[in-house]
Structures are given as structure tokens and as C-alpha cells.
Amino acid sequence: MNRALILRSLLPRARASFSTTTRSQIQNKVKENQLRFQKDDGLPVHLKGGLMDTFSYTVIMGLTVAGTAWVCYELFTLSMPKK
């Protein structure tokens, strides 16, 4: 019974420690992002984020192609017998 009374007395203090003023300062952009990503503009969803998405996609694809070419070259050179 004592534990219940202690927990009951702590409850108002726990509620008072959280402030609701920061919630009003942060804008919820979920609806805006949903409209942007669901818009039918012919772009895949991983490129609809803007310039940074396009840049990172291009860099990653370039590294992937270069890595694949390098692996193919190394496999080719390793498959040839040494003279």
C-alpha cells in the first residue's frame, strides 16, 4: 500500500517535468512530405528527395560500376597463367 501512495505522489511531478511549449515550435512536415513523395512525376521514390538524393545516387552508382569493373579485371588477370 505504501508503494502505491509513493507512486501516486510522484505522478504530478512527472507530468510537470515535461513541457508542451516545444511542441508548438516544431512544425509537422509529414503531410508535406507525403504529398511530395506521392506525386506522380515519373521519378523513383529514392530520387524525389531533391539534389542531395540525386548526387548520392550518382556517386554510389559510379562507385558500384567502378568496383564491378575492377573485380572483373582482377578476376580476368588472376585467371591467366603467369609466364
Side-chain angles (χ1 to χ4, degrees):
M1 183 68 179
N2 283 339
R3 289 183 184 173
L5 290 175
I6 292 171
L7 289 175
R8 197 179 222 179
S9 67
L10 292 177
L11 190 61
R13 292 181 192 160
R15 286 184 189 158
S17 66
F18 294 107
S19 175
T20 59
T21 57
T22 57
R23 289 184 186 174
S24 63
Q25 295 174 357
I26 299 172
Q27 290 182 341
N28 190 358
K29 296 184 179 181
V30 173
K31 290 288 186 189
E32 296 169 11
N33 287 335
Q34 283 178 344
L35 290 175
R36 183 176 65 185
F37 283 102
Q38 291 177 355
K39 185 171 48 173
D40 188 23
D41 56 359
L43 287 175
V45 72
H46 58 273
L47 294 178
K48 287 187 179 186
L51 185 63
M52 196 61 189
D53 281 350
T54 306
F55 176 73
S56 62
Y57 175 77
T58 305
V59 167
I60 290 170
M61 285 304 291
L63 289 172
T64 302
V65 169
T68 303
W70 184 26
V71 167
C72 290
Y73 171 75
E74 289 296 325
L75 285 174
F76 178 74
T77 57
L78 289 173
S79 67
M80 294 296 158
K82 290 186 178 181
K83 291 184 180 179

